[in-house]
Amino acid sequence: MKLLILDGNSVINRAYFGVKPLTTREGLYTHAIYGFLNILERMEKEEQPEAVCVAFDLHGPTFRHLQYDGYKATRHAMPEELAQQMPIMKDVLRAMNIPIYECQGWEADDVIGTVGRICGNNGWECVIVTGDRDSLQLIDENVHVKLVISKPGQTTATLYDEAKFREEYGFEPKKLIDLKALMGDSSDNIPGVAGVGPKTAKELLEKFGSLDGVYAHLDDPSIRPKLREKLEAGKDSAYLSFDLATIRPEAPIDFEPKDAIIKPYNRPELYHLFQKLEFVRLIDKYGLRGAAAETPMPERRTVKLPRQETMPETVRECAVYLAGDGSLGLAWAEGVCALTPLEVQMGEFSLAGKQCVFHDSKTAMHQLDELGVTAGACAFDTALAAYDLNPSSSDYSVAKLATNFLGTSVEDSDAALCAEAVWQLRPVLSEELESSGMGKLYREIELPLCRVLYAMENRGICIDREQLEQFGEMLSRRIADCEALIFSYSGGEFNINSTRQLGELLFDKLGLPPVKKTKTGYSTNADVLEKLKDKHPIIPAIMDYRMLTKLKSTYADGLVKEIREDGRIHTTFQNLVTATGRLSSTEPNLQNIPVRTDLGAEIRKMFVPKPGCVLVDADYSQIELRVLAHIADDKAMQKAFCDHVDIHAATAAQVFGVPMEEVTPLQRRHAKAVNFGIVYGISEFSLAEDIGVSRYEAREYIDSYLNNYRGVKDYMHKVVADARQTGYTQTLFGRRRYIPELKSSNFNIRSGAERIALNTPIQGTAADLIKLAMLRVETALQEQYPQARLLLQVHDELIVECPEDIAPEVAAVVSREMENVAHLRVPLTAEAKFGKSWYEAK
């Protein structure tokens, strides 16, 4: 029989630092619990134990603290974000019927040692799961240690038995105590012998066998005089350290291995806790959906609708939900029903003329098109509402929203229950939007934009397949030439795409100076190659090779695969993804077409209008800086924009103290980097890296900038302070982004949160403006030039297809609507051009 015991504090600490922060809607941190459960599940899977238990430390001094005042005195206090998760973690374990062992005055290590001893006495195998090497001293024929190391995104676990320990340390596990007695342990503030490090301590033990053996042979000639002096002076400290480092397997706990035999979960209790923690995926993973019927719901905010066979034709407003299997759920004020995929496809079902409540309306409208079902008007979109309420979430499923907002449990595969949840979510989410001040944003921008995005996705954009294929063939020839050149420098063929082989070539064979090493070898990433490009002609060739292969695979080959039968590419605009409110583009990503290199920009030549038409391209000029000038109410920046001067040259003139006409191109580039960097809360280190100056110079640039743009400086302080107080930051249009990390005890996390607080109002407002512009452009074109069609949005840029003979008029309409979308303290400018390709129009 095998028992698995987890060192609770150690495992949850590793989970806390190894999983990116997660919070519930109320701001409760949950990532340590989530990571702990993942580690527990993995350990159970790997070890297949018959019994499981967990040991925790209790607050308060132990006998070691009483023995030595300095014991663990250098330990930092537990972060508040972790401390708030500890009691809930224990509640989860109790709900899982996993015993918890704690003992006042004793450490968890002693409790674990006691459990291991009792297991051995009863003929049980014991596996200790911990991130603390102290437990390695407990290894014997019955007790093994699974050492867990967690890093962000990666957890490794190594099983140590006696053989594995000897292989790594060179002596038996018990001697780990003697090792610590000599070398000390900074994490526990165990002093050891001053001046004796790990290497010396290990050599002494290998020669003399134990701490007693070392002190019995102090006159041994192999011990250097200075070392002998240290050992003599540190004898008392060594024996004190021996006592402190010794795990005592005699804690007064009531334990028998059979008490920890795995039992079924307390399903209702665990389900309730997972609901509180918003672990919707774990509810499914642990098979807890049925537990909803086994326990009273926390507080149901809705009345259950009766199940009906069909929805009456007289119903004017209903919720619509399409399940993954093609079944269709419908819910209305008096009932709920579900249609099978066959009933949907074979029947003459229609939603025409009805007001529909959708969950992700854009996707639902495409799905209804595929089923041949006419969709009605979208009255509400529950997924979109949930996104606006919490744009940092990664899960807007009906199951998650039902758990969070209704206190009910549904499975995404149950069309009827999901439709009912969607119907019941509408008033709840509407109320949340209004109370948070986002009702207008939702009604006037977000919801109407879904119909525009749906239309744009249906329209697609034409691409010249023949030209694209020729471009791909040209890239293939260039890649082959690059390979030949690289192999001529390397003296033979190798796998250029292998980081290991490339690293060995550059740094071992060619002798270039290594820039960065990782655990797996030399780094050859883009930053490394950039630093080495003047060191050897092979480096520029490798950089060219990477650029060409990226263009070939992602664009030349990738875009050809995306061309549909109509000769057009139909991207998907993701409107439920970014935390700032910006749209993103996938399958394929048309917002990432390269523009910085001449060769990359060639790809835009392949995007063409249909015959007889042109593409009109309108792009906001420096929209984020204009938003910054408005929000920060910076008079100097506003004057530059209102006078229509070059903002980067104006900034350079102020930062470098020269007349604007004398600003050099280099000074303008540096000022541009500062201008855009300030919006993102750039540090002096990052700015120095970006523009190739010292950190001192970068700091001077930033200080000079903020001294000239006092409004921006004041804004930067105020926006972070306000966000820290309210817990969120927002755009001019009321879009909120909650930032609980602002109160993190971790400096790096907190600093990152401050940058988010700085940037979100700027980038988010720019996103709101372009969305509003899309609505205005779409409406204006339908009213004035219905032959013209809005096709793409690329960040701050709109692309329209229209007949060539009305291109000047359409360009004027697009430009006008974009510029008049809002009245800021500075003018919005959007220059529109047109041409026979995206490249020409740009």
Side-chain angles (χ1 to χ4, degrees), residues 548-568:
L548 293 166
T549 53
K550 170 74 173 175
L551 288 175
K552 177 83 165 60
S553 62
T554 305
Y555 301 106
D557 297 343
L559 291 176
V560 166
K561 294 173 186 174
E562 298 290 344
I563 301 173
R564 296 194 193 170
E565 291 180 2
D566 60 1
R568 300 172 81 90

Side-chain angles (χ1 to χ4, degrees), residues 696 698-708 710 713:
Y696 174 78
R699 181 73 260 165
E700 280 200 321
Y701 290 170
I702 293 172
D703 289 344
S704 178
Y705 176 96
L706 294 175
N707 286 333
N708 282 291
R710 303 293 302 183
K713 184 176 184 178

Side-chain angles (χ1 to χ4, degrees), residues 109-225:
D109 284 350
D110 303 309
V111 173
I112 290 168
T114 305
V115 167
R117 175 181 59 79
I118 294 172
C119 280
N121 292 343
N122 284 270
W124 280 59
E125 180 186 351
C126 178
V127 176
I128 300 165
V129 177
T130 182
D132 189 347
R133 288 182 175 266
D134 288 350
S135 292
L136 294 174
Q137 65 181 270
L138 298 172
I139 294 171
D140 60 25
E141 59 183 355
N142 295 306
V143 177
H144 301 151
V145 172
K146 197 105 178 201
L147 198 63
V148 176
I149 307 296
S150 284
K151 292 182 179 178
Q154 181 184 12
T155 298
T156 60
T158 305
L159 184 66
Y160 282 81
D161 56 12
E162 289 180 288
K164 172 69 176 172
F165 183 90
R166 280 184 178 277
E167 178 189 332
E168 186 167 317
Y169 284 86
F171 45 77
E172 63 180 296
K174 266 289 186 212
K175 296 303 181 200
L176 185 63
I177 306 169
D178 302 72
L179 184 71
K180 288 203 169 196
L182 289 165
M183 67 181 237
D185 183 346
S186 59
S187 66
D188 289 339
N189 202 34
I190 293 175
V193 175
V196 174
K199 184 180 177 184
T200 301
K202 200 170 179 183
E203 289 172 353
L204 288 168
L205 285 181
E206 286 172 352
K207 185 168 185 66
F208 301 112
S210 66
L211 182 66
D212 288 340
V214 171
Y215 279 101
H217 296 86
L218 279 183
D219 56 352
D220 190 288
S222 66
I223 298 178
R224 301 182 305 277

Side-chain angles (χ1 to χ4, degrees), residues 429-603:
L429 294 175
S430 293
E431 183 184 329
E432 292 264 352
L433 286 168
E434 295 301 331
S435 65
S436 64
M438 283 189 284
K440 186 176 181 182
L441 169 83
Y442 178 80
R443 291 189 308 273
E444 297 184 5
I445 299 180
E446 296 286 70
L447 191 60
L449 186 68
C450 291
R451 176 67 71 170
V452 175
L453 295 174
Y454 160 76
M456 291 166 65
E457 290 174 356
N458 278 339
R459 291 164 188 161
I461 186 168
C462 192
I463 196 158
D464 189 329
R465 179 190 289 270
E466 184 179 348
Q467 192 178 355
L468 189 60
E469 288 174 343
Q470 289 174 358
F471 182 68
E473 291 167 3
M474 179 273 292
L475 289 175
S476 293
R477 292 192 294 272
R478 293 272 298 268
I479 290 168
D481 292 342
C482 245
E483 284 180 335
L485 182 60
I486 291 168
F487 294 153
S488 71
Y489 289 130
S490 65
E493 294 189 7
F494 68 101
N495 182 357
I496 304 172
N497 298 313
S498 166
T499 300
R500 182 182 61 79
Q501 291 185 33
L502 183 58
E504 289 172 354
L505 168 73
L506 297 180
F507 307 113
D508 293 338
K509 185 176 179 180
L510 297 181
L512 296 177
V515 177
K516 181 181 176 184
K517 285 199 82 170
T518 66
K519 283 194 171 182
T520 55
Y522 299 106
S523 172
T524 61
N525 64 23
D527 290 339
V528 169
L529 295 187
E530 183 66 31
K531 289 182 171 70
L532 295 172
K533 65 181 180 182
D534 298 325
K535 303 288 185 183
H536 194 286
I538 197 173
I539 302 296
I542 293 168
M543 294 170 75
D544 285 346
Y545 172 84
R546 286 185 176 177
M547 180 267 293
L548 293 166
T549 53
K550 170 74 173 175
L551 288 175
K552 177 83 165 60
S553 62
T554 305
Y555 301 106
D557 297 343
L559 291 176
V560 166
K561 294 173 186 174
E562 298 290 344
I563 301 173
R564 296 194 193 170
E565 291 180 2
D566 60 1
R568 300 172 81 90
I569 285 178
H570 299 259
T571 189
T572 296
F573 291 102
Q574 300 289 353
N575 61 334
L576 306 174
V577 174
T578 69
T580 57
R582 295 181 78 171
L583 296 172
S584 61
S585 163
T586 57
E587 297 176 335
N589 182 357
L590 296 185
Q591 293 187 337
N592 203 29
I593 303 297
V595 291
R596 295 185 184 278
T597 63
D598 292 340
L599 197 57
E602 288 282 308
I603 295 167

